[in-house]
Amino acid sequence: MSIDIALLLGQDGVVNGAIYALLALALVLVFSVTRVIFIPQGEFVAYGGLTLAALQEGRGPGTFWLLCAVRVAVALADGIAALRAGSGRSLRWALAGDLGYLTLLAAVLYLAPFASWPAWVQIPLALALVVPLGPAVYRLAYQPLAGASILVLLIVSVAVHVALVSLGLLFFGAEGSQTRAFSDARLELGRVEVGAQALCVVLFSVALMAALHAFFERTSYGKALRASAMNRVGARLVGIPVGLSGRLSFALAALIGALSGILIAPITTLYYDTGFLMGLKGFVGAIIGGLASYPVAVGGALLVGLIEALASFWASAYKEVIVFALVVPVLVWRSLRTHHLEDDE
Amino acid sequence: MTRTRRAIAALAVALLAGAARGAEVNVGVTVSATGPAASIGIPSRKAIALLPTTIDGVKVNYIVLDDATDSTTAVKNVRKLTSENEVDALLGSNSTPASLAMVDVAAETETPLISLAAGSRIIEPMDEKRRWVFKTPQNDQLMATAIAQHMVDRGVKKAAFIGFADAYGDGWLTAFSKAAERRNLKIVARERYNRLDTSVTGQVLKILSAKPDAVLVGASGTPAVLPQKTLVERGYKGAVYQTHGVANPDFLRVGGKGVEGAFLPTGPVVVANQLPDDHPSKKAALEFVRRYEVANGPGTASSFGAHAWDAGLLLKAAVPVALEQARPGTRQFRIALRRALEHVHDLRGAHGVFNMTSTDHGGLDLRARVMVQIRNGTWQLIP
């Protein structure tokens, strides 16, 4: 293996690793706040990328109808809850907000020539379609079971994953899609040629991580999420609603997922079922960080990306085996270092 | 009240008449409309919707089930179709593993099965069980020899292979290795990747370091785009070959400029318009394309749907023969249908000319393949 090949493989590994790192962050975030192992994290990658691809091809993406359906279901669930509690006032505002949001999106999708818009307008539009699915999924699938054991929440995750993948096939079809590249330029960095798109992925990922850091350190919502993650009961006692922290963490996870999908859609082909494997690789990274440490999860995810790149060069037929076998030594090491705690309350 | 009675009476008469003549032929279909082979299964299902609903004056019902590209589900579907629906013939499935799993059920229930998968193991070697099994797609071997021959004709000495790490890639690597060996063509790299991989840089670098004159991508559908695009990005200048598994419009849509210039062997239906007028498949191919595109929109016809269409043509040829000998719904009818399928002779399908024999249940010959090249985002027939 010459130095050139090593550099190219390293570059490939870092680009993929950056995406896995984002997914690992989202998984750690969701798990620490809600104890949900968010298997459907990868679906948001596919939904984000494929929604953008559908917009660029001038098709109204099916995710809009899914959004309508889940918002109606959320409104019904909230309505029943509010009737039971006898408070209808705030609900009316929420309903009006929902209706306005969906009408606005519908107007854009049916009246505007969105296919010819530049990418920097299409991307927010795609995000506006996909990200609200996150909190809605939390409200419908997880919030009614917020007190259940980790195992029950995991089983719900499997169900949500299967449902979202099936809907993805319905909306986007079995064949894959690519989106237009932000830029086709290639840059010379030392002795390696780097695609501008690959550089975009890494830079955006770093920027997103920095933004998340700032969010957790500086804003009150971020602090509320950290408080919920550290001590759920204590956070409730000081007045942080469980539902709010859950919805917020899911919104962030959906945002991270959708952005990851949009970032890699120009350099690879995305399919309706791409997300699961990517999410799983992010999960391996998150496991290395014990589903608790953000920096270690990022490092672990980068390691997964690099090992994957090397494995695809040396033994491409066994690539996935090698990547997922990484979990075994990590688990052994972790189980030797930490003493086991029964984590179910 | 009287009207209801009259309706019941009419229904009873119809049922009696139906029972007496055994008026309806039931065809059980299992396709992979979801799961990894969905890109092949969906066009199949759409083509089955266009198959004849009466053959020789007898009504034909198609009962279509989805097996989610899962062998176990395919077997479950076939069991259900044979026991509950008492079908006279089976069609499907789209993947070789699922079709292989269905062979046992077809033989056990003595129901003729027409598979829509390409693997030659489905019908070879001929034995007691496979007597009941036929298939419409071309053998990989037929296509692989076309590629190897084309490479040799263009002066290629060293070839590389990158394909799916699954049954499809395995089948192609075996078929291509055999064809290449016979022509003194050296395979200098054998790489694998997965359908959902987001990057194949590692594999492509390995291939480039072996300096092949041509690269064969052993993959199907849009996932076959990524290796070729990566090869081009990394500055590869040699010829790239694809398999007939990519011959659908989505491959061109996703591939765009990245797949320009690729060579592939395919069934004549893909270039139906460009076939010379004396080509035996031209008429059937054009008919399929017309019917499919009327139902599903212009530019939607693909080679995958045409395999199901050809299965319909086989039934159309064989059912009348079987009807003369027995009543649908009986064991005798299924036996007669199997025998009739085995004697299909000179049937001009959209993918080639079928000549079944008791040892060859595929029945296609060299007329079932043409070489095409991707030029300006379209398939171009090359002589």
Side-chain angles (χ1 to χ4, degrees):
Chain A
M1 191 163 76
S2 72
I3 187 82
D4 285 314
I5 289 180
L7 284 171
L8 284 170
L9 286 178
Q11 179 202 335
D12 188 51
V14 169
V15 172
N16 280 328
I19 296 295
Y20 300 151
L22 286 179
L23 297 179
L25 282 184
L27 285 166
V28 173
L29 167 67
V30 167
F31 181 77
S32 59
V33 175
T34 63
R35 295 174 308 131
V36 171
I37 294 182
F38 196 40
I39 297 173
Q41 177 64 46
E43 268 60 76
F44 286 96
V45 178
Y47 276 39
L50 291 172
T51 301
L52 181 63
L55 288 174
Q56 293 191 343
E57 282 165 22
R59 291 181 284 130
T63 25
F64 174 67
W65 294 110
L66 179 63
L67 186 60
C68 290
V70 294
R71 290 317 303 183
V72 168
V74 167
L76 279 176
D78 282 346
I80 291 167
L83 277 181
R84 281 204 188 129
S87 63
R89 202 172 173 78
S90 61
L91 189 68
R92 238 170 279 151
W93 283 111
L95 269 182
D98 262 0
L99 201 64
Y101 187 74
L102 292 176
T103 319
L104 192 69
L105 278 179
V108 170
L109 289 179
Y110 281 94
L111 302 174
F114 52 80
S116 55
W117 287 353
W120 59 269
V121 191
Q122 286 171 336
I123 289 171
L125 181 58
L127 289 177
L129 282 162
V130 176
V131 174
L133 290 174
V137 164
Y138 177 75
R139 175 65 188 86
L140 294 174
Y142 297 101
Q143 193 172 322
L145 293 165
S149 70
I150 291 184
L151 183 64
V152 170
L153 293 172
L154 175 67
I155 293 168
V156 174
S157 283
V158 173
V160 173
H161 157 69
V162 172
L164 285 179
V165 169
S166 313
L167 287 168
L169 176 62
L170 185 68
F171 297 148
F172 306 114
E175 290 291 2
S177 287
Q178 288 197 348
T179 57
R180 287 198 292 270
F182 305 152
S183 157
D184 281 329
R186 302 192 79 82
L187 311 167
E188 295 280 338
L189 285 185
R191 44 189 305 174
V192 203
E193 198 192 50
V194 183
Q197 189 65 40
L199 207 60
C200 271
V201 172
V202 178
L203 291 181
F204 264 116
S205 304
V206 173
L208 198 58
M209 286 174 206
L212 278 177
H213 181 75
F215 173 76
F216 283 124
E217 294 293 326
R218 307 282 155 126
T219 66
S220 57
Y221 280 113
K223 285 176 184 164
L225 279 186
R226 270 170 62 212
S228 311
M230 278 171 199
N231 190 330
R232 206 161 295 111
V233 182
R236 253 164 95 179
L237 287 176
V238 296
I240 299 169
V242 183
L244 174 77
S245 52
R247 280 198 296 268
L248 198 55
S249 62
F250 271 68
L252 277 175
L255 176 70
I256 294 171
L259 266 178
S260 313
I262 288 168
L263 281 176
I264 55 158
I267 49 176
T268 184
T269 318
L270 286 181
Y271 305 87
Y272 72 98
D273 55 350
T274 298
F276 180 60
L277 261 185
M278 296 185 70
L280 219 51
K281 284 170 188 161
F283 187 69
V284 174
I287 287 283
I288 294 174
L291 274 175
S293 160
Y294 290 99
V296 182
V298 170
L302 281 175
L303 185 68
V304 170
L306 286 169
I307 288 182
E308 194 183 10
L310 288 175
S312 68
F313 183 80
W314 287 117
S316 58
Y318 303 106
K319 192 194 71 177
E320 305 294 25
V321 182
I322 294 169
V323 169
F324 288 112
L326 187 65
V327 179
V328 178
V330 168
L331 287 181
V332 170
W333 174 68
R334 290 204 73 87
S335 69
L336 290 177
R337 264 198 62 228
T338 53
H339 54 274
H340 188 67
L341 292 171
E342 283 301 327
D343 43 9
D344 275 2
E345 51 263 55
Chain B
M1 199 61 198
T2 51
R3 189 186 281 176
T4 325
R5 263 191 213 155
R6 216 179 291 155
I8 291 172
L11 196 69
V13 170
L15 279 176
L16 281 173
R21 284 182 42 236
E24 296 185 356
V25 175
N26 288 311
V27 179
V29 186
T30 172
V31 289
S32 310
T34 55
S39 67
I40 301 172
I42 292 170
S44 296
R45 194 181 56 189
K46 287 181 177 164
I48 281 159
L50 305 172
L51 296 188
T53 49
T54 54
I55 296 177
D56 216 13
V58 177
K59 190 159 181 290
V60 185
N61 302 314
Y62 300 91
I63 304 139
V64 184
L65 300 177
D66 172 26
D67 59 42
T69 325
D70 177 51
S71 304
T72 318
T73 318
V75 169
K76 212 165 64 190
N77 283 350
V78 174
R79 289 241 176 256
K80 180 174 179 299
L81 289 166
T82 47
S83 61
E84 283 177 30
N85 305 92
E86 298 180 343
V87 296
D88 300 297
L90 290 163
L91 289 190
S93 178
N94 300 99
S95 76
T96 301
S99 295
L100 281 173
M102 287 157 59
V103 168
D104 286 336
V105 189
E108 184 192 311
T109 58
E110 302 185 309
T111 317
L113 163 67
I114 305 178
S115 168
L116 305 176
S120 55
R121 281 178 304 149
I122 298 168
I123 52 164
E124 286 168 13
M126 185 49 65
D127 57 19
E128 265 314 294
K129 283 178 179 169
R130 291 186 173 85
R131 279 178 67 224
W132 290 93
V133 186
F134 301 82
K135 80 178 178 80
T136 53
Q138 296 86 341
N139 279 343
D140 290 345
Q141 197 64 48
L142 183 73
M143 297 306 200
T145 42
I147 291 179
Q149 190 58 47
H150 194 260
M151 283 182 178
V152 171
D153 291 347
R154 284 171 49 94
V156 171
K157 297 266 185 297
K158 294 190 292 179
F161 176 88
I162 175 167
F164 281 166
D166 66 6
Y168 189 89
D170 267 342
W172 262 94
L173 183 55
T174 318
F176 181 63
S177 301
K178 267 190 213 156
E181 202 179 324
R182 238 175 273 141
R183 289 167 179 78
N184 287 325
L185 187 63
K186 223 175 129 206
I187 302 180
V188 290
R190 295 175 169 84
E191 292 300 308
R192 296 305 186 77
Y193 75 112
N194 297 299
R195 193 175 67 91
L196 297 174
D197 276 356
T198 49
S199 161
V200 291
T201 309
Q203 291 93 325
V204 163
L205 290 173
K206 186 92 174 268
I207 286 177
L208 291 181
S209 60
K211 300 197 168 43
D213 306 317
V215 179
L216 167 62
V217 182
S220 63
T222 40
V225 169
L226 194 59
Q228 189 172 356
K229 266 200 168 167
T230 313
L231 279 165
V232 174
E233 258 172 39
R234 294 278 156 234
Y236 180 67
K237 294 279 180 277
V240 178
Y241 287 77
Q242 295 278 359
T243 67
H244 60 303
V246 305
N248 70 357
D250 287 296
F251 179 76
L252 296 177
R253 168 180 63 84
V254 172
K257 268 181 274 166
V259 296
E260 195 68 16
F263 293 106
L264 58 138
T266 170
V269 67
V270 173
V271 284
N273 281 320
Q274 303 165 35
L275 293 173
D277 284 334
D278 58 351
H279 194 284
S281 284
K282 179 153 188 165
K283 201 166 146 250
L286 281 176
E287 167 75 1
F288 163 73
V289 171
R290 191 185 60 78
R291 290 280 308 277
Y292 194 92
E293 296 196 342
V294 164
N296 300 296
T300 52
S302 73
S303 75
F304 308 135
H307 293 309
W309 177 259
D310 281 349
L313 293 182
L314 285 177
L315 284 178
K316 205 170 154 188
V319 165
V321 181
L323 278 174
E324 281 170 21
Q325 296 166 31
R327 232 176 46 204
T330 62
R331 178 168 171 264
Q332 285 76 12
F333 182 79
R334 297 198 299 272
I335 292 172
L337 186 60
R338 191 203 74 80
R339 205 178 302 129
L341 281 169
E342 205 169 78
H343 287 95
V344 165
H345 178 69
D346 199 32
L347 174 75
R348 295 175 170 214
H351 264 291
V353 183
F354 292 90
N355 280 301
M356 300 285 185
T357 66
S358 56
T359 49
D360 181 8
H361 280 192
L364 291 170
D365 54 26
L366 290 178
R367 291 174 287 182
R369 72 176 193 207
V370 292
M371 279 305 280
V372 301
Q373 190 180 18
I374 300 174
R375 286 185 206 149
N376 303 321
T378 57
W379 317 106
Q380 291 293 326
L381 181 67
I382 50 175

